[in-house]
Amino acid sequence: MGTGRKLNRYEQRMTCFFYILCAFFICSCGGNKTANKEKKTPLAAELPKDEVRYVKSIQLTSPGKDKMYAFNEEIVIGFESKDRFPVDSAAFYIDGQQIATAGKEDRSFTYRIPEGKTGNMTIKVMAWHPDNKRGIATTTIRVKPDQAPAIYSYEVVNVFPHDPKAYTQGLIYQDGFIYEGTGQYGESSIRKTDMQTGKTLSVLNIDSQLFGEGITIYEDKIYQITWRSRKGFIYDLKTFTLESTFNYNSEGWGITTAGDHLIMSDGSNKLYHIAPSTFNILKEVEVYDHNGPVDQLNELEYVDGMIWANVWLTDRIVVIDPETGIVRGELNLPGLLPAADKARLDDKDDVLNGIAWNAGKGTFYVTGKRWPKLFEIKVKLIPYGR
């Protein structure tokens, strides 16, 4: 093409289109360069769960199942793997929380049990093998406190009359009166009593097919549980009018109010934290002292953050931390009821039962099943070493 010749209209249009196309190409390339700079290198993705193969490749060599250990005691968590499953790595878990990892050659980890909740502790080991295979082994141990409970002594400051026909299951002091729940088929009731005279001021007998157990007061309502029928009742405190019923999935023994919720026992070594509105279980706590589980927990009383509990068929009251299950103290009351009175009782089960707290005086009221007396006692801690 000669430089002096003018372009015709068609050539001008084609030349213009060419330059526009070049400009678009250049801009597009520049835009891609910017995107590439901002684009991050992708992380290695986890394989889908359905591609993980769980195999029976490992087993725990220690600790032994259900073996008892104390706080601050060291345990060795050990495992072994089958020859055809070489271990790439492993992890150790206590109650679902990872506490340590191990390499290819490690097969154990030493763990010191911290002071915390008593009862069952779950131990798990997970091992990773080639070809995306994993092995899991679990066991449980039991944990108890490493110290004996503190010992309390007592002094009797008053003695009041008590209905010898009342098979005491629950006992509460409020506003100068004693509220009591009684048991036995055909004899179960709730009652309000004049403490000075022992006279029953109000009484409501329940169905003769039901065996009454513990009672507690929550927001001007009386909650009453029963032994084996798994049924409870809520009454108006002033009138004893039945307002509603509730159900639960265990035996009913003792019950008390702990702030905004209830705590119940079922004759085992467990305490159940209960929602008053629904009676749903909020949590369970296993009770242990330095010797092991403490069962037969019966009548309960909540005092300054601790649960005081009768141990059925004994003269022992244990003081329990309701959050951890640790028995912090104990009070023994042998000989509280005079021998002459005790001789008239059925020695099979007419025993110490019933604890009520008078916060204003800092004293307890205690009695027993069919006991003729109610005792007001002052409790104090025995100095260590005495």
Side-chain angles (χ1 to χ4, degrees), residues 55-231:
V55 293
K56 295 181 179 180
S57 58
I58 64 172
Q59 65 179 13
L60 289 169
T61 56
S62 64
K65 182 176 176 58
D66 292 331
K67 189 174 179 181
M68 186 86 70
Y69 294 91
F71 293 150
N72 296 306
E73 190 172 351
E74 287 189 344
I75 61 172
V76 175
I77 305 173
F79 74 98
E80 60 185 15
S81 177
K82 296 178 181 178
D83 292 340
R84 67 179 184 276
F85 294 107
V87 175
D88 289 335
S89 61
F92 300 85
Y93 300 83
I94 297 290
D95 288 337
Q97 298 295 317
Q98 183 174 314
I99 57 170
T101 57
K104 292 184 177 183
E105 305 302 324
D106 298 323
R107 295 291 183 274
S108 66
F109 176 74
T110 301
Y111 178 71
R112 182 181 295 275
I113 300 173
E115 180 171 337
K117 289 182 64 175
T118 58
N120 286 333
M121 175 182 285
T122 301
I123 295 172
K124 181 176 78 172
V125 175
M126 180 181 290
W128 281 260
H129 308 294
D131 301 323
N132 206 35
K133 296 176 182 177
R134 294 182 197 176
I136 295 176
T138 63
T139 192
T140 55
I141 61 172
R142 295 182 295 164
V143 179
K144 65 180 183 178
D146 58 349
Q147 296 181 6
I151 304 298
Y152 290 87
S153 66
Y154 71 95
E155 173 190 2
V156 177
V157 295
N158 273 308
V159 181
F160 304 99
H162 179 252
D163 183 358
K165 295 181 180 179
Y167 194 81
T168 306
Q169 301 289 66
L171 201 68
I172 305 169
Y173 170 84
Q174 183 161 304
D175 300 329
F177 299 99
I178 288 290
Y179 293 84
E180 187 169 4
T182 67
Q184 290 294 349
Y185 294 109
E187 302 176 26
S188 297
S189 68
I190 59 170
R191 55 180 69 187
K192 179 181 179 180
T193 303
D194 182 323
M195 188 169 57
Q196 299 297 325
T197 65
K199 182 180 178 181
T200 300
L201 304 177
S202 303
V203 63
L204 175 66
N205 297 310
I206 67 172
D207 191 316
S208 62
Q209 301 299 310
L210 301 175
F211 193 118
E213 286 282 349
I215 65 170
T216 192
I217 296 174
Y218 177 80
E219 294 186 347
D220 295 326
K221 311 294 180 187
I222 297 178
Y223 284 68
Q224 180 189 34
I225 55 177
T226 56
W227 183 24
R228 289 179 169 171
S229 61
R230 302 187 176 189
K231 186 175 184 179

Side-chain angles (χ1 to χ4, degrees), residues 284-302:
E284 300 177 10
V285 177
E286 298 175 82
V287 178
Y288 280 68
D289 66 10
H290 64 300
N291 292 316
V294 179
D295 57 11
Q296 304 282 67
L297 298 175
N298 202 1
E299 153 75 341
L300 310 177
E301 182 79 350
Y302 183 77

Side-chain angles (χ1 to χ4, degrees), residues 14-87:
M14 293 300 295
T15 302
C16 181
F17 177 77
F18 175 79
Y19 284 126
I20 291 173
L21 187 62
C22 290
F24 177 80
F25 180 78
I26 292 170
C27 290
S28 297
C29 291
N32 285 341
K33 288 180 181 178
T34 303
N36 288 337
K37 287 181 181 178
E38 294 177 352
K39 189 175 182 181
K40 296 180 180 179
T41 304
L43 298 174
E46 285 274 345
L47 287 172
K49 288 185 177 181
D50 57 2
E51 293 188 23
V52 175
R53 292 182 57 197
Y54 287 93
V55 293
K56 295 181 179 180
S57 58
I58 64 172
Q59 65 179 13
L60 289 169
T61 56
S62 64
K65 182 176 176 58
D66 292 331
K67 189 174 179 181
M68 186 86 70
Y69 294 91
F71 293 150
N72 296 306
E73 190 172 351
E74 287 189 344
I75 61 172
V76 175
I77 305 173
F79 74 98
E80 60 185 15
S81 177
K82 296 178 181 178
D83 292 340
R84 67 179 184 276
F85 294 107
V87 175

